[in-house]
């Protein structure tokens, strides 16, 4: 391994500026003549717009749909037959379909003044009955979110495994209904966008807090009707994205339109209330599952119905059907069974559109299948850990193609379970459980294991039916005349450390010093096209591109160096920040100087391609590379208050070759904290009229330091045969497993009380309710 290359725990490059408060986020950008934008948003979940009145004297400060002539709505169409496309206008036209939908855009020198203008806008809206619950939305008599559809179904899909025969013969049958709560993402920095017209370049310049700058350029071009060459998108520092910032947002279109038409700078910065009520929504799933097993709890088949409440509109480019497609495809998880039937329903409701969120569908499916595994174990009277271990795909079966055709490339799933059990000392916990806690609380232990498709290829994305299919990744590497290295890639760093890890890949291939590497990401004017950072693809895809480009650059450097050192190219070695041939050495600067500044000294056989290389990475196998993980939780439950304390928590993960093990740990811990939020705290509830009930962080509980235990980390490094250096993705995984592990642990703690929770977040209120219900049931059985 090169010093500071792949595998090194290098301190992150980006932290120098962030820890000193010198990062530059959208709201840090000052510009002469900048106007702020505030939106007048719908206060009703469903309504017909009868009239909008601009406040007298302020007409030129207010813009409505009628002003946005020539602006196309967001049309996130899917190629899948039967998918209904929603017409998502940047500003509402005839109807509003969720609380928070943008109706009017108001401008002023400051945000406070812009908000005053927004409040003065007169709205005449006829309120209509709202559709809030996803199962209600499926009923034939439900109000319609989109009148012309005739129902509320964006899409239904079906996988028709032969489950009926199995249902007749299987010795064990377990049925459950499970629910996951609706959630927000809460990056530290909310969404933000600033746009101006650059007269010199003849371009609309859009600074936006995004994971996907090149895609935003494509999306703005389509909605604004402006050539892509006339749009430059620059993502400054991004304070977390988590999926929320990988779709085109109406506010982005509005602010860009203002700058395009008025030719001066405008910006909108999302506030926390906008984030909570109008912005990011995700995670809300309903499952109806029946599992069939043998007497030992060996899973034979699964019959599933998944309903996702995807909100009012389809987001671009990931659409309203990605979540359910992922749910249906991933529900079988890391388990080895061959019969699967699954119907999915992506239903429109009067809630904000559904955006991808770290893990995309898999926190839900992992919760669902992991609770089923424990339920089966209880049904057959065995320890859930043993039943889980026997059902997992075994190491000897690798590579393994599962019941939905996913190709698990490498690894030892049961070993991750054994390691996690060791880290939390499961035997010790069982002993402690048997002897009882001195404070009367009940303790329990739970596991959850998943496998996660990462860095998948074009065919997989295309099969999900999305309007823009993510392709390959590209990167440019360039040696400068003074021997530094510049990396340019169209992907962006959003907190996950790519500036550092892409540098490490280049260091590994080129032997150049880590500090000599500079990374520019995301600016559409200076980086090759990329679809961006999402789907845990950055390391494998952009890392793969940097690797290939660096290998080619190394070849070119060797040729020039061989001439300068008068040796054969084969004897040239790039290592430890210099260029060697035996004991002789020259610097990277010597090569840079020779090519750029003194080319007359180079022989004719040095090709003219120079010291700048752009290369791409395309997954070898379209199904991508599969990371897997087991989380283990030990909880204490207080039966009087319903409070859950996490006593111990372990994460064992295999993301192939870790480029920076410190960053990998950070990714896993950060993800797990979000997963703990999903499991125990976070929810965006809505009342029957579609009014959001959590509009401040007082109503929406995020886990803080007190709620999160010190996590124990374990790693397996089984290299993927399909990626550069055997890397696999890791960005999302941490968030996937906590709900399954934690709720299994709570159910384990309360099993003697006849309690089994099936809904998250598992709040104290829900736990107390379940305890009371179980008590009532026991009492009524005693009477009978
Ligand atoms: N890495 C590594 N070795 C590997 C794999 C990854 O060192 N074998 C490091 C790399 O620095 C890489 C990071 O871990 O950038 C995450 O890896 P990867 O799985 O390739 O994910 P991406 O780079 O594509 O990042 C996106 C991913 C997603 S989809 C979400 S959602 C998410 C996440 O990363 N959002 C994040 N992690 C986040 N972390 C922060 N701080 N903020 C977010 O918004
Ligand atoms: S939700 Mo991550 O941006 O794929």
């Amino acid at each position: 391994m090169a010093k500071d290359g792949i595998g090194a725990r290098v301190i992150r490059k980006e932290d120098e500026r962030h820890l000193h408060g010198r990062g530059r986020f959208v709201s840090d950008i000052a510009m002469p003549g900048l106007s702020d934008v505030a939106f007048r948003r719908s206060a009703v979940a469903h309504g017909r717009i009868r009239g909008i009145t601009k406040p007298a004297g302020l007409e030129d400060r207010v813009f409505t749909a009628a002003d946005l002539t020539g602006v196309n709505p967001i049309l996130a169409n899917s190629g899948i037959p039967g998918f209904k496309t929603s017409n998502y206008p940047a500003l509402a036209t005839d109807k509003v379909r969720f609380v928070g939908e943008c109706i009017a855009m108001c401008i002023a020198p400051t945000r406070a003044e812009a908000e005053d203008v927004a409040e003065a806008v007169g709205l005449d809206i006829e309120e209509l009955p709202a559709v809030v619950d996803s199962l209600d939305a499926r009923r034939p008599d439900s109000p319609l979110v989109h009148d012309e559809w005739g129902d509320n179904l964006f899409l239904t899909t079906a996988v028709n495994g032969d489950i009926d025969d199995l249902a007749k013969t299987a010795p064990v049958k377990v049925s459950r209904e499970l629910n996951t709560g609706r959630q927000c993402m809460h990056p530290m920095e909310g969404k933000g966008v600033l746009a101006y017209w650059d007269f010199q370049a003849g371009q609309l310049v859009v600074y936006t807090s995004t994971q996907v700058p090149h895609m935003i350029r494509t999306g703005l071009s389509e909605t604004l009707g402006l050539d892509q060459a006339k749009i430059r998108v620059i993502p400054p520092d991004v304070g977390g994205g988590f999926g929320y910032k990988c779709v085109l947002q109406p506010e982005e279109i509005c602010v860009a339109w203002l700058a395009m038409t008025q030719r001066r700078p405008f910006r909108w910065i999302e506030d926390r209330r906008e984030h909570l009520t109008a912005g990011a929504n995700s995670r809300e799933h309903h499952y109806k599952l029946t599992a069939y097993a043998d007497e030992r709890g060996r899973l034979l088949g699964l019959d599933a119905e998944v309903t996702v409440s995807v909100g009012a509109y389809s987001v671009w480019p990931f659409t309203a059907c990605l979540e359910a497609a992922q749910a249906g495809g991933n529900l079988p998880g890391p388990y080895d069974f061959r019969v699967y039937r699954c119907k999915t329903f992506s239903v429109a409701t009067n809630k904000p559109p559904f955006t991808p969120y770290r893990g995309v569908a898999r926190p839900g499916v992992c919760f669902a299948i992991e609770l089923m595994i424990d339920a089966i174990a209880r049904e057959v009277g065995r320890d859930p850990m043993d039943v889980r271990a026997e059902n997992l795909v075994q190491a000897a079966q690798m590579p393994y193609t599962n019941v939905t055709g996913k190709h698990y490339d490498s690894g030892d799933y049961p070993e991750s379970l054994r390691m996690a059990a060791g880290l939390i000392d499961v035997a010790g916990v069982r002993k402690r459980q048997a002897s009882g806690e001195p404070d009367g609380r009940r303790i329990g232990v739970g596991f959850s294991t998943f496998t996660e498709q990462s860095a998948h290829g074009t065919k997989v994305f295309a099969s999900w039916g999305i309007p823009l299919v993510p392709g390959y990744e590209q990167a440019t590497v360039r040696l400068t005349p003074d021997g530094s290295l510049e990396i340019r890639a169209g992907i962006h760093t959003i907190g996950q450390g790519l500036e550092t890890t892409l540098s490490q890949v280049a260091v590994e291939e080129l032997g150049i010093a880590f500090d000599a590497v500079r990374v520019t990401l995301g600016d559409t004017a200076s980086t090759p096209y990329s679809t961006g950072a999402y789907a845990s693809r950055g390391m494998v895809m952009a890392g793969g591109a940097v690797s290939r480009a660096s290998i080619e650059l190394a070849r070119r450097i060797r040729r020039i160096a061989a001439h300068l050192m008068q040796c054969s190219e084969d004897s040239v070695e790039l290592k430890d920040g210099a260029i060697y041939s035996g004991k002789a050495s020259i610097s990277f600067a010597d090569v840079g100087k020779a090519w750029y500044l003194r080319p007359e000294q180079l022989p004719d056989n040095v090709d003219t391609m120079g010291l700048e290389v752009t290369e791409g990475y395309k997954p070898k196998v379209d199904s991508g590379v599969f990371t897997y993980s087991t989380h283990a939780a030990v909880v204490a439950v207080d039966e009087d208050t319903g409070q859950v304390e996490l006593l111990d928590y372990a994460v064992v993960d295999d993301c192939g070759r870790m480029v920076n093990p410190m960053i990998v740990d950070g990714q896993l811990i950060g993800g797990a904290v979000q997963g703990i939020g999903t499991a125990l705290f976070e929810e965006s509830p809505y009342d029957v009229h579609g009014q959001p009930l959590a509009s401040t962080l007082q109503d929406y509980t995020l886990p803080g330091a007190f709620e999160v235990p010190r996590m124990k980390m374990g790693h397996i490094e089984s290299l993927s045969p399909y990626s550069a250096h055997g890397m696999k993705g890791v960005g999302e995984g941490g968030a996937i497993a906590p709900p399954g592990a934690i709720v299994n642990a709570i159910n384990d703690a309360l099993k003697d009380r006849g309690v089994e929770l099936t809904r998250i977040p598992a709040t104290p209120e829900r736990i107390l309710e379940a305890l009371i219900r179980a008590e009532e049931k026991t009492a009524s059985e005693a009477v009978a």
Side-chain angles (χ1 to χ4, degrees):
M1 165 187 130
K3 180 179 175 295
D4 300 334
I6 292 177
R9 301 176 80 89
V10 189
I11 298 285
R12 302 197 324 167
K13 272 181 190 289
E14 39 277 79
D15 289 345
E16 172 67 23
R17 63 179 186 278
H18 289 315
L19 295 179
H20 291 97
R22 295 184 188 121
R24 194 171 69 140
F25 301 86
V26 174
S27 60
D28 294 319
I29 300 169
M31 212 161 264
L34 181 66
S35 291
D36 266 305
V37 174
F39 288 92
R40 178 63 184 267
R41 296 172 180 276
S42 177
V44 301
H46 197 191
R48 203 169 301 286
I49 301 177
R50 285 193 293 229
I52 308 172
T53 325
K54 297 182 181 180
L58 296 171
E59 288 85 352
D60 60 340
R61 303 274 199 91
V62 179
F63 302 86
T64 68
D67 299 306
L68 266 58
T69 46
V71 175
N72 301 310
I74 298 173
L75 292 176
N77 200 354
S78 162
I80 294 183
F83 178 86
K84 300 194 193 79
T85 305
S86 59
N87 190 316
Y88 187 8
L91 295 174
T93 49
D94 54 333
K95 245 178 128 181
V96 282
R97 295 183 175 86
F98 64 92
V99 171
E101 185 166 356
C102 296
I103 299 174
M105 162 168 64
C106 305
I107 58 173
T110 66
R111 170 68 176 246
E113 290 166 276
E115 286 185 8
D116 287 347
V117 178
E119 241 169 63
V121 173
L123 294 181
D124 179 8
I125 295 179
E126 173 199 346
E127 192 167 355
L128 301 168
V131 200
V132 180
D133 179 81
S134 62
L135 297 184
D136 289 346
R138 280 174 50 189
R139 284 190 233 285
D141 59 349
S142 166
L144 297 178
V145 178
H146 298 276
D147 304 316
E148 62 283 10
W149 287 9
D151 59 26
N152 286 314
L153 296 167
F154 272 103
L155 184 68
T156 56
T157 66
V159 176
N160 287 313
D162 201 358
I163 205 92
D164 293 329
D165 282 350
L166 182 63
K168 286 182 211 132
T169 56
V172 173
K173 172 184 168 186
V174 175
S175 296
R176 293 289 184 275
E177 267 190 68
L178 303 146
N179 287 284
T180 60
R182 201 171 185 86
Q183 255 193 270
C184 290
M185 291 79 169
H186 290 288
M188 281 199 282
E189 181 211 17
K191 184 74 198 173
V193 54
L194 181 155
Y196 71 97
W197 190 264
D198 178 338
F199 287 94
Q200 185 190 11
Q203 272 183 329
L204 172 70
V205 180
V206 183
Y207 284 94
T208 183
S209 185
T210 187
Q211 303 168 229
V212 293
H214 288 265
M215 284 211 287
I216 296 300
R217 180 165 75 144
T218 302
L220 285 176
S221 165
E222 284 179 11
T223 48
L224 297 176
L226 187 66
D227 290 349
Q228 293 202 38
K230 289 195 179 153
I231 304 175
R232 176 180 179 189
V233 173
I234 309 173
D237 273 323
V238 172
F242 306 117
Y244 179 46
K245 297 177 185 169
C246 71
V247 297
L248 178 68
Q249 291 176 336
E251 294 90 344
E252 257 162 344
I253 301 170
C254 286
V255 171
W257 177 84
L258 278 173
M260 178 179 84
T261 50
Q262 304 225 351
R263 308 257 154 152
R264 55 194 185 89
F266 294 91
R267 73 168 176 194
W268 167 73
I269 307 294
E270 181 186 68
D271 67 23
R272 206 43 70 170
R273 190 185 292 268
E274 286 179 303
H275 184 77
L276 272 158
T277 56
N281 268 225
S282 197
R283 294 278 194 263
E284 188 182 355
H285 295 189
H286 172 270
Y287 293 89
K288 230 169 118 181
L289 302 179
T290 300
Y292 298 96
D294 71 11
E295 292 90 347
R296 288 183 57 75
R298 189 76 171 78
L299 191 58
L300 302 172
L302 185 67
D303 195 5
E305 197 185 287
V306 189
T307 307
V308 186
S309 167
V310 290
Y313 298 106
S314 184
V315 292
W316 188 93
F318 291 109
T319 81
C321 62
L322 174 75
E323 185 84 3
Q326 286 265 49
N330 286 294
L331 188 56
Y335 297 107
D336 172 29
F337 66 94
R338 306 295 344 164
V339 187
Y340 180 53
R341 182 165 71 185
C342 181
K343 274 196 194 141
T344 74
F345 300 86
S346 301
V347 298
T349 45
N350 290 114
K351 295 180 184 176
F354 213 80
T355 33
Y357 175 24
R358 204 171 194 172
V360 186
R362 287 156 294 190
V365 296
C366 176
F367 167 73
I369 191 82
E370 291 305 299
L371 260 68
M372 292 305 278
I373 296 288
D374 274 38
I376 291 168
R378 279 192 293 274
E379 185 74 22
V380 300
R382 296 183 64 207
D383 190 311
M385 196 178 106
D386 299 334
V387 171
R388 180 167 283 102
E390 283 174 20
N391 275 304
L392 288 169
V393 172
Q394 306 292 307
Q397 294 173 280
M398 290 292 177
Y400 172 91
T401 303
N402 89 339
V403 65
T404 55
K406 294 198 187 290
H407 180 75
Y408 301 163
D409 54 299
S410 54
D412 187 341
Y413 297 1
E415 177 60 13
S416 72
L417 176 61
R418 283 188 287 273
M419 282 173 67
L423 285 172
I424 56 150
D425 179 22
V426 73
V429 178
R430 288 282 178 227
K431 254 192 231 148
R432 195 171 145 185
Q433 204 173 24
S435 58
E437 290 296 290
D439 63 7
R441 293 189 300 175
R442 286 175 182 261
I443 65 169
V445 60
F447 296 94
S448 107
T449 307
F450 68 87
T451 181
E452 183 198 0
Q453 189 165 24
S454 67
H456 14 300
T458 54
K459 291 198 179 68
V460 172
F461 278 108
S463 75
W464 290 333
I466 48 182
L468 186 156
V469 174
Y472 324 127
E473 276 301 305
Q474 289 178 300
T476 302
V477 296
R478 177 204 282 163
L479 192 75
T480 61
D482 59 358
S484 304
L485 188 79
E486 290 174 356
I487 298 177
R488 294 176 186 278
I491 196 162
H492 199 43
T493 181
I494 53 173
Q496 86 282 40
L498 270 179
E499 270 173 60
T500 303
T501 43
L502 292 180
S503 302
Q504 288 180 258
V505 172
V507 166
E508 185 70 30
E509 309 294 8
L510 285 161
I512 200 162
F514 181 75
D515 288 339
V517 185
R518 263 208 33 76
V519 183
T520 301
L521 298 176
D523 183 341
T524 62
S526 58
T527 63
Y529 198 94
S530 152
T531 54
Y534 54 88
S536 300
R537 68 197 287 280
M539 194 70 259
V540 175
M541 304 274 303
V546 168
S547 165
R548 293 195 52 182
S550 300
I551 289 169
E552 169 59 16
L553 180 62
R555 188 188 70 78
R556 298 188 196 172
I557 290 174
R558 258 190 235 105
R559 171 158 296 185
I560 296 172
H563 168 74
L564 297 178
M565 291 195 280
Q566 294 297 298
C567 64
S568 77
E569 273 173 54
D570 296 344
S571 76
V572 177
E573 266 189 288
L574 312 183
K575 60 176 187 189
D576 305 332
I579 300 167
Y580 293 85
S581 173
K583 286 216 165 63
S585 76
I586 58 172
S587 67
F588 281 94
D590 292 328
V591 171
K593 210 184 304 161
W595 166 259
Y596 292 103
L597 310 180
R598 304 306 307 266
E600 87 281 7
Q601 296 176 354
L602 293 176
D604 291 341
N605 77 345
V606 169
D607 51 43
T608 53
M609 288 156 84
L611 296 174
E612 176 168 336
V613 182
T614 299
E615 261 291 358
Y617 178 85
K618 175 184 189 303
K620 260 188 218 159
V621 175
D622 269 287
S623 59
V625 290
F626 282 80
T627 297
Y628 61 94
S629 185
T630 296
H631 289 208
V634 183
V635 301
V637 185
D638 185 325
E639 288 179 274
D640 295 328
T641 63
Q643 291 284 348
V644 174
E645 186 189 349
L646 284 174
L647 299 177
D648 206 359
Y649 201 91
V651 178
V652 176
D653 178 270
D654 182 350
C655 63
R657 174 65 45 77
M658 291 184 275
V659 176
N660 186 325
M662 186 172 62
I663 292 181
V664 168
D665 279 351
Q667 285 293 302
L668 292 170
I669 294 168
V673 173
Q674 289 180 300
I676 289 170
T678 304
L680 294 173
F681 306 110
E682 295 182 45
E683 188 165 23
S684 301
Y686 281 77
D687 75 4
V688 292
H689 307 294
Q691 289 294 330
L693 299 179
S695 62
T696 71
L697 286 177
Q698 215 147 38
D699 324 302
Y700 188 99
T701 317
L702 288 169
F706 280 119
E707 285 77 34
V708 177
R710 181 166 289 275
M711 292 182 202
K712 295 172 175 163
M713 312 299 292
H715 297 287
I716 303 171
E717 266 191 308
S718 49
L719 306 190
S720 172
Y722 304 137
S723 61
H725 298 280
M727 312 182 279
K728 309 175 201 170
V730 76
E732 293 167 277
I736 293 175
I742 291 168
V743 177
N744 276 337
I746 296 171
N747 288 341
D748 181 55
L750 299 178
K751 61 179 183 288
D752 298 340
R753 307 288 308 241
V755 165
E756 191 185 310
L757 296 179
T758 52
R759 182 184 283 271
I760 46 172
T763 55
E765 192 185 353
R766 288 195 176 122
I767 291 174
L768 287 179
E769 263 170 25
L771 280 162
I772 291 166
R773 245 182 289 124
E775 228 163 71
E776 285 170 356
K777 193 169 162 229
T778 321
S780 70
E781 279 166 4
V783 171

